[in-house]
Each structure stands twice: as C-alpha cells, then as structure tokens.
C-alpha cells in the first residue's frame, strides 16, 4: 500500500465516522421532534456518507477503475446534497 493510498483510506474512514455522527445526531433530533425536515437532513447526510464510503470500497476492494469510484461518489454526493437543500427549504 503506497503512502497516498494510506492517506486516502484514512480520509475516507474519517469521512465515514464524521458523516455517521452527523447522520446519527440529525436522526436523533428527528426522533425527538418528529420534524420531517430533520428526517430529510439525516437521510441527506446518510446518502453523502454512503457515497464516500462506497467510492472507497470500489476504489480499494473491487477491481474497478478510480473513474467509476469518483462517478459513484459524485452522484451520491449530488443526490445527498439535493436532499439536504430540500430539507432546509421544506417546512
């Protein structure tokens, strides 16, 4: 494993942990308040976090190109951010 690969794995792991914590707290706030906006916020952060983790798995564990990993991550980031924007807009 090269030094760059180690850095990428460390960053993806940190992203997964922090994204999971944000998703957890947003979901916890939704459960406490019943707010649809908070539920969507949790889903949005969950999708962004999933995209990052899935891209890391595709890049490191599967025999697929980094272009595919980047495409997966970018697509799920767009979907997740769209859900987050909607959650902030919706009442």
């Amino acid at each position: 494993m090269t030094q760059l690969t180690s850095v990428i794995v460390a960053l993806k792991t940190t992203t997964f942990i922090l994204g999971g914590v944000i998703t957890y707290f947003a979901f916890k706030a939704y459960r406490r308040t019943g707010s649809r906006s908070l539920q969507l916020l949790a889903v949005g952060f969950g999708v962004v976090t999933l995209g990052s983790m899935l891209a890391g798995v595709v890049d490191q564990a599967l025999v697929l190109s980094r272009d595919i990993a980047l495409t997966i991550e970018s697509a799920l980031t767009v979907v997740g951010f769209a859900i987050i924007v909607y959650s902030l807009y919706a009442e």
Side-chain angles (χ1 to χ4, degrees), residues 14-30:
T14 303
T15 300
F16 179 69
I17 291 168
L18 293 175
V21 169
I22 292 169
T23 302
Y24 169 76
F25 282 123
F27 184 74
K28 189 175 170 182
Y30 156 69

Side-chain angles (χ1 to χ4, degrees), residues 33-79:
T33 65
S35 169
R36 175 92 169 127
S37 294
L38 287 172
Q39 181 185 32
L40 289 170
L41 186 68
V43 169
F45 276 113
V47 170
V48 171
T49 303
L50 175 69
S52 177
M53 194 61 184
L54 191 58
V57 168
V58 166
D59 183 42
Q60 296 298 313
L62 302 178
V63 187
L64 298 173
S65 74
R66 286 197 169 166
D67 290 341
I68 293 173
L70 182 60
T71 302
I72 290 169
E73 182 174 23
S74 297
L76 288 175
T77 298
V78 166
V79 170

